[in-house]
Amino acid sequence: MRLKSFTAPTMTEAMELVRQELGDDAIIVSTQRAAGSKGVRITAALEPADADLAVAEMLQDSTESSAAEAVRSALADHGVPQKVADRLVNAARTAEISDPTLACAAALEAGFTFAHLPEHSAPRPFMLVGPNGSGKSIAVAKLAARSVLKQRQVGVITCDNIRAGAVEQLAAFTSILEIDLVRARGPESLARVVESTNGLFDLVLIDSPGLNPFKQTDMDYLQALIEAADVEPILVMAAGGDAVEASEIGEAFAEIGATRLFASRLDTTRRLGSVLACAEAGQMAFCDVSASPHVASGISPISAISLARLIMPQPAAPQTRDETFWTEAPTS
């Protein structure tokens, strides 16, 4: 694996440097705010692609304007803030793609960045941060399970000494994965624990307490945890909330260094406006999403095309007789 770091004023510019230097197959292993919060620093690696992802051939029947209007309608249905929606619709129109889903994907690619969390190894620990109830502990368990299934050595640490039963909940998952859950109490304790993991694990995942993004003392404490152990904070945001509130949450967690967004609970919501608003306001890259309550499944990287398919209405695929048998409950 060849590692290289890139620094630029914005996430979009940094990702463009990565593409120019390493190509589209580059894997993002770490992102962080540059020194003094001036720009973004990305560490990327070059490995063979796991799969050759091809975009379907564009349809020629629809007009450019109808595709852009379809994107506008879908974004409105998802409750995307008007400013963000206008920017995406303009990008869809500029792309001159007739298929609405592909036009939406092109707009998302132009307007957002996508930096997946590595499954195999990372130079810095990942700390999952976010408001209380956003799904951080489950996300930690799912990410750990994904890497364990890839035969990687994973360390899991919890700093959540606030929520009742938080440690026990995560311990139940790590026990199944045969991982020792280590508990840290405060910044100094976390620094010692993280230092003790050096060289022992391919990935280190840290569960943080759910804190109020609008309470300065809470965010100061979280900042102290992040700086003490030199970790990369990943914001976990539950889909389906209010878009304005999500924007403010994104801004708050961007201030303490979060540059990637993990969207949770996609299986229990029908509108993604809050997720787009959060990423826009915090200038964060989309990394992974959770779309199942089961720890062993339902987590996957997100890309422009997969996000577009979630946003745009998709025609129902014709079912074969066997598919109908497996996907429909018998009628009485």
Coordinates of all heavy atoms in Angstrom, one line a residue, residues 260-299:
R260 N -15.8 13.9 8.0 CA -16.5 12.8 7.4 C -17.9 12.6 8.1 O -17.9 12.7 9.3 CB -15.7 11.5 7.3 CG -14.5 11.6 6.4 CD -14.0 10.2 6.0 NE -12.7 10.0 6.5 CZ -11.9 9.0 6.1 NH1 -12.4 8.1 5.2 NH2 -10.7 8.8 6.7
L261 N -18.9 12.2 7.3 CA -20.2 12.0 7.9 C -20.6 10.6 7.6 O -20.6 10.1 6.5 CB -21.2 13.0 7.2 CG -22.7 12.8 7.5 CD1 -22.9 13.0 9.0 CD2 -23.6 13.7 6.7
F262 N -21.0 9.9 8.7 CA -21.6 8.6 8.7 C -23.1 8.7 8.9 O -23.5 9.1 10.0 CB -20.9 7.7 9.8 CG -21.4 6.3 9.8 CD1 -20.6 5.3 9.4 CD2 -22.7 6.0 10.3 CE1 -21.0 3.9 9.5 CE2 -23.1 4.7 10.4 CZ -22.2 3.6 10.0
A263 N -23.9 8.4 7.9 CA -25.4 8.5 8.1 C -25.9 7.2 8.6 O -25.7 6.1 8.0 CB -26.0 8.8 6.7
S264 N -26.7 7.2 9.7 CA -27.3 6.0 10.3 C -28.8 6.0 10.1 O -29.4 7.1 9.7 CB -26.9 6.0 11.8 OG -27.5 7.1 12.5
R265 N -29.4 4.9 10.3 CA -30.8 4.7 10.3 C -31.5 5.0 9.0 O -32.6 5.6 8.9 CB -31.5 5.5 11.4 CG -31.0 5.1 12.8 CD -31.6 5.9 13.9 NE -31.0 5.5 15.2 CZ -31.2 6.2 16.3 NH1 -32.0 7.3 16.3 NH2 -30.6 5.9 17.4
L266 N -30.8 4.7 7.9 CA -31.4 4.9 6.6 C -32.6 4.0 6.3 O -33.4 4.2 5.5 CB -30.4 4.8 5.4 CG -29.8 6.1 4.9 CD1 -28.9 6.7 6.0 CD2 -28.9 5.8 3.7
D267 N -32.7 2.9 7.1 CA -33.7 1.9 7.0 C -35.0 2.4 7.6 O -36.1 1.8 7.4 CB -33.3 0.6 7.6 CG -32.9 0.7 9.0 OD1 -32.2 1.6 9.3 OD2 -33.2 -0.2 9.8
T268 N -35.0 3.4 8.5 CA -36.1 3.9 9.2 C -36.6 5.3 8.8 O -37.3 5.9 9.5 CB -35.9 3.8 10.7 OG1 -34.8 4.7 11.0 CG2 -35.6 2.4 11.2
T269 N -36.1 5.8 7.7 CA -36.5 7.1 7.2 C -36.7 7.1 5.7 O -36.2 6.3 5.0 CB -35.4 8.2 7.6 OG1 -35.9 9.5 7.2 CG2 -34.1 7.9 6.8
R270 N -37.5 8.0 5.3 CA -37.8 8.1 3.8 C -37.3 9.4 3.2 O -37.3 9.6 2.0 CB -39.3 8.1 3.6 CG -40.0 6.8 4.1 CD -41.5 6.8 3.9 NE -41.9 6.9 2.5 CZ -43.1 7.0 2.1 NH1 -44.1 7.0 3.0 NH2 -43.4 7.0 0.8
R271 N -36.7 10.3 4.1 CA -36.2 11.6 3.6 C -34.8 11.9 4.0 O -34.5 11.7 5.2 CB -37.2 12.7 4.1 CG -38.6 12.6 3.4 CD -39.5 13.6 4.1 NE -40.8 13.5 3.4 CZ -41.7 12.6 3.8 NH1 -41.5 11.7 4.7 NH2 -42.9 12.5 3.1
L272 N -34.0 12.3 3.1 CA -32.5 12.5 3.4 C -32.1 13.9 3.4 O -30.9 14.2 3.3 CB -31.7 11.7 2.3 CG -32.0 10.2 2.2 CD1 -31.2 9.5 1.2 CD2 -31.8 9.5 3.6
G273 N -33.1 14.8 3.4 CA -32.7 16.2 3.4 C -31.8 16.7 4.5 O -30.9 17.5 4.3
S274 N -32.0 16.1 5.7 CA -31.2 16.5 6.8 C -29.7 16.0 6.6 O -28.8 16.7 7.1 CB -31.8 15.9 8.1 OG -31.8 14.5 8.1
V275 N -29.5 14.9 6.0 CA -28.2 14.4 5.8 C -27.4 15.2 4.9 O -26.3 15.6 5.1 CB -28.3 12.9 5.3 CG1 -26.9 12.4 5.0 CG2 -28.9 12.0 6.4
L276 N -28.1 15.6 3.8 CA -27.4 16.5 2.8 C -27.2 17.9 3.4 O -26.1 18.4 3.2 CB -28.3 16.7 1.5 CG -28.6 15.4 0.7 CD1 -29.5 15.7 -0.5 CD2 -27.2 14.8 0.2
A277 N -28.1 18.4 4.2 CA -27.9 19.7 4.8 C -26.7 19.6 5.8 O -26.0 20.6 5.9 CB -29.2 20.1 5.6
C278 N -26.6 18.6 6.5 CA -25.5 18.4 7.5 C -24.2 18.4 6.8 O -23.2 19.1 7.2 CB -25.7 17.1 8.3 SG -24.4 16.9 9.6
A279 N -24.0 17.6 5.7 CA -22.8 17.5 5.0 C -22.4 18.8 4.4 O -21.3 19.3 4.3 CB -22.9 16.4 3.9
E280 N -23.4 19.5 3.8 CA -23.2 20.8 3.2 C -22.7 21.9 4.2 O -21.7 22.6 4.0 CB -24.5 21.3 2.6 CG -24.6 22.8 2.2 CD -23.8 23.1 0.9 OE1 -23.4 22.1 0.2 OE2 -23.6 24.3 0.6
A281 N -23.4 22.0 5.3 CA -23.1 23.0 6.3 C -21.7 22.7 7.0 O -20.9 23.7 7.2 CB -24.1 23.1 7.4
G282 N -21.4 21.5 7.2 CA -20.1 21.1 7.8 C -19.0 20.9 6.8 O -17.9 20.6 7.3
Q283 N -19.3 21.0 5.5 CA -18.3 20.7 4.5 C -17.6 19.4 4.7 O -16.4 19.2 4.8 CB -17.2 21.8 4.4 CG -17.7 23.2 3.9 CD -18.2 23.0 2.4 OE1 -17.3 22.9 1.5 NE2 -19.5 23.1 2.2
M284 N -18.5 18.4 4.9 CA -18.0 17.0 5.3 C -18.2 16.1 4.1 O -19.1 16.3 3.2 CB -18.8 16.4 6.5 CG -18.6 17.2 7.7 SD -19.5 16.4 9.1 CE -19.3 17.7 10.4
A285 N -17.3 15.1 4.0 CA -17.4 14.1 3.0 C -18.3 12.9 3.5 O -18.3 12.6 4.7 CB -16.0 13.5 2.7
F286 N -19.1 12.4 2.6 CA -19.9 11.2 3.0 C -18.9 10.0 3.0 O -18.1 9.8 2.2 CB -21.0 10.9 2.0 CG -22.1 11.9 2.0 CD1 -22.3 12.9 1.0 CD2 -23.1 11.8 3.0 CE1 -23.3 13.8 1.1 CE2 -24.1 12.7 3.1 CZ -24.2 13.7 2.1
C287 N -19.1 9.2 4.1 CA -18.2 8.0 4.1 C -19.0 6.7 4.0 O -19.1 6.1 2.9 CB -17.3 8.0 5.3 SG -18.1 8.1 6.9
D288 N -19.7 6.3 5.1 CA -20.5 5.1 5.1 C -21.9 5.3 5.6 O -22.2 6.4 6.2 CB -19.8 4.0 6.0 CG -18.5 3.6 5.4 OD1 -17.5 4.4 5.5 OD2 -18.4 2.5 4.9
V289 N -22.8 4.4 5.3 CA -24.2 4.5 5.8 C -24.6 3.2 6.5 O -24.1 2.1 6.1 CB -25.2 4.8 4.7 CG1 -24.8 6.2 4.0 CG2 -25.2 3.7 3.6
S290 N -25.5 3.3 7.4 CA -26.1 2.1 8.0 C -27.6 2.0 7.7 O -28.3 3.0 7.8 CB -26.0 2.2 9.6 OG -26.6 1.2 10.2
A291 N -28.0 0.9 7.2 CA -29.4 0.7 6.7 C -30.0 -0.5 7.3 O -30.8 -1.2 6.6 CB -29.4 0.7 5.2
S292 N -29.6 -1.0 8.5 CA -30.1 -2.2 9.1 C -29.8 -2.1 10.6 O -28.8 -1.6 11.0 CB -29.5 -3.4 8.4 OG -29.8 -4.6 9.2
P293 N -30.7 -2.7 11.4 CA -30.4 -2.7 12.8 C -29.5 -3.8 13.2 O -29.0 -3.9 14.3 CB -31.8 -2.9 13.5 CG -32.6 -3.7 12.4 CD -32.1 -3.1 11.1
H294 N -29.2 -4.7 12.3 CA -28.3 -5.9 12.6 C -26.8 -5.5 12.5 O -26.4 -4.9 11.5 CB -28.6 -7.0 11.6 CG -30.1 -7.4 11.6 ND1 -30.7 -7.9 12.7 CD2 -31.0 -7.3 10.6 CE1 -32.0 -8.2 12.4 NE2 -32.2 -7.8 11.2
V295 N -26.1 -5.9 13.5 CA -24.7 -5.5 13.5 C -23.8 -6.2 12.4 O -22.9 -5.5 11.9 CB -24.1 -5.9 14.9 CG1 -22.6 -5.7 14.9 CG2 -24.7 -5.1 16.0
A296 N -24.2 -7.4 12.0 CA -23.4 -8.1 11.0 C -23.7 -7.6 9.6 O -23.1 -8.1 8.6 CB -23.6 -9.6 11.2
S297 N -24.7 -6.7 9.4 CA -25.0 -6.4 8.0 C -25.5 -4.9 8.0 O -25.7 -4.3 9.1 CB -26.1 -7.3 7.5 OG -27.3 -7.2 8.2
G298 N -25.8 -4.4 6.8 CA -26.5 -3.1 6.7 C -25.6 -1.9 6.8 O -26.0 -0.8 6.9
I299 N -24.3 -2.1 6.7 CA -23.3 -1.0 6.6 C -22.6 -1.1 5.3 O -22.1 -2.2 4.9 CB -22.4 -1.0 7.8 CG1 -21.5 0.2 7.8 CG2 -21.5 -2.3 7.8 CD1 -20.6 0.4 9.0

